[in-house]
Amino acid sequence: MTFKLTSFLMLATSAWLVGCAGTASKPPANDPATLRVNVFRSATNIPIYMAEEKGAYAKRNLRIELQFTPNSSEQRAGLAAGRSDIAHTAADNAVAMVEVAKVDAVIVGGGDSGLLELFVRPEIRTLADVRGKAMVVDAPNTAYALVARKILKNAGLIDGRDYRLLPIGGTESRIKAFSQSPDHAVGMLNPPWTYLAQSQGARSFGLVKDIYGPYQAIAPIAMRSWAHSNSGALERYLAAYIEGCRMTLDPANRAEVIAVLRKRLNLSEEVASRSYEGLIQPGYGLARDCRFDMAGFRNALALRAEIEGQWGGVAPEPGKYLELGYFERALKFASP
């Protein structure tokens, strides 16, 4: 009798597990949802733009309201306050939300390396020429500003001693700052603004991927409680985002991607084409499937530990900032 009962329980448990596995592999129901997605105005939004243009969100019954932020401070505050649902921002901004603002934000996917370059005004010949001038930044204690501060630190320049940090806002604002004053000597830029800066005489001191190594930049983040409560909509969103990334990286779509960049960002054919070439460059542009770059994120954590002195100068393990299960499930039902 005991043997029969045990056998029955084992069979019942096996059947339940199989049923759960089958359910877990199915995409979430296409219930109508409107998602407020906060982004910077940048070429790195191209997976979102392509997903919109090609109907990847619409086929999942999702309506996307894009919000364009002037700076990361407003972006982080808006996400924490519930004014947006998802933000595409440098992964370090999620870390800052957790460690500095003490709110429970979480990274739910990947994206790109930021396509970052350190730019200087035309008269700056060496980084030593930055001495006594200002670095234009978004926020002085997060993300790309930390990368720029590290590069200048390696050149022997310390912020507050050798140069000043001047919070200006997003990349579009920083390129404008270059032309506003000769005091605005250096800053981090990415496409399409890198090419516009070059057309105005600014010079690149090199790609961050070559100077510093891999860096996890733009990634989708959300409040942990919102993600848990809206997991189905989030996974559908991420599946469309993955498809947008695949569309962008498919060489067959080159002309269409350039056309979308021109339309969405009001770019010339030349700047849109150069931005496209950057976006598809391995290690510099979009990650394959917009996957999360763990090595790049560890670099971002190490940078925060060194430059900001967070965690006593020793970077923590990444796990507390990540919930990548949504993305992994979305990968299973994203169209190839």
Side-chain angles (χ1 to χ4, degrees):
M1 184 69 175
T2 303
F3 174 78
K4 290 182 178 179
L5 179 60
T6 302
S7 298
F8 171 78
L9 291 172
M10 291 176 63
L11 287 170
T13 301
S14 297
W16 179 80
L17 289 171
V18 169
C20 286
T23 302
S25 64
K26 294 179 181 178
N30 276 7
D31 298 325
T34 297
L35 299 180
R36 298 163 300 169
V37 180
N38 193 283
V39 299
F40 286 90
R41 190 167 176 266
S42 167
T44 58
N45 295 325
I46 189 62
I48 302 172
Y49 297 154
M50 288 298 292
E52 285 188 310
E53 295 283 339
K54 303 295 282 185
Y57 294 122
K59 76 180 181 182
R60 293 180 169 87
N61 223 357
L62 294 177
R63 179 173 174 267
I64 305 303
E65 292 183 356
L66 277 183
Q67 305 169 340
F68 292 93
T69 186
N71 56 66
S72 62
S73 296
E74 288 193 22
Q75 185 182 53
R76 293 192 301 270
L79 185 67
R83 293 191 293 272
S84 57
D85 303 312
I86 299 166
H88 286 257
T89 189
D92 182 70
N93 279 318
V95 180
M97 291 181 73
V98 173
E99 300 294 351
V100 180
K102 305 301 182 183
V103 296
D104 201 9
V106 67
I107 300 165
V108 296
D112 60 68
S113 67
L115 297 84
L116 299 175
E117 293 184 60
L118 188 72
F119 267 77
V120 297
R121 283 180 54 84
E123 68 271 17
I124 302 296
R125 309 311 300 175
T126 70
L127 289 182
D129 296 337
V130 173
R131 199 178 303 273
K133 299 183 182 296
M135 175 194 289
V136 292
V137 298
D138 175 9
N141 56 356
T142 61
Y144 306 161
L146 301 185
V147 182
R149 288 166 63 190
K150 169 64 173 173
I151 293 171
L152 266 66
K153 179 183 176 182
N154 288 350
L157 301 175
I158 305 298
D159 56 276
R161 185 192 73 187
D162 302 304
Y163 66 94
R164 305 184 317 283
L165 294 171
L166 183 61
I168 292 290
T171 311
E172 188 174 7
S173 298
R174 296 198 295 276
I175 184 179
K176 292 177 182 176
F178 274 131
S179 61
Q180 291 170 348
S181 169
D183 187 56
H184 302 162
V186 60
M188 197 69 76
L189 302 180
N190 56 12
W193 317 116
T194 45
Y195 310 120
L196 295 175
Q198 287 174 336
S199 71
Q200 296 171 11
R203 296 188 303 109
S204 171
F205 255 82
L207 308 183
V208 165
K209 75 179 185 70
D210 298 329
I211 300 171
Y212 182 68
Y215 182 78
Q216 175 60 59
I218 297 298
I221 72 173
M223 300 305 294
R224 194 184 300 267
S225 59
W226 181 90
H228 287 180
S229 299
N230 298 273
S231 59
L234 176 57
E235 289 173 20
R236 285 149 56 201
Y237 174 83
L238 291 172
Y241 174 62
I242 291 165
E243 289 176 11
C245 191
R246 290 172 175 172
M247 295 170 195
T248 301
L249 293 176
D250 184 345
N253 295 329
R254 181 183 188 279
E256 186 172 8
V257 173
I258 291 172
V260 170
L261 286 170
R262 292 194 67 185
K263 180 174 77 170
R264 293 298 187 105
L265 297 174
N266 192 27
L267 303 177
S268 69
E269 176 76 23
E270 179 186 2
V271 170
S273 297
R274 294 180 69 185
S275 297
Y276 168 81
E277 296 301 331
L279 287 162
I280 66 171
Q281 183 179 331
Y284 174 66
L286 297 176
R288 182 66 55 183
D289 290 341
C290 284
R291 288 181 178 271
F292 187 77
D293 180 356
M294 189 64 74
F297 187 52
R298 287 186 181 276
N299 267 352
L301 291 173
L303 196 61
R304 172 165 285 277
E306 177 184 350
I307 301 300
E308 282 294 292
Q310 197 89 50
W311 316 290
V314 180
E317 287 299 309
K320 69 180 289 189
Y321 312 105
L322 306 175
E323 279 208 18
L324 299 178
Y326 303 110
F327 188 88
E328 294 302 321
R329 287 187 289 275
L331 271 172
K332 295 177 182 179
F333 58 86
S335 299

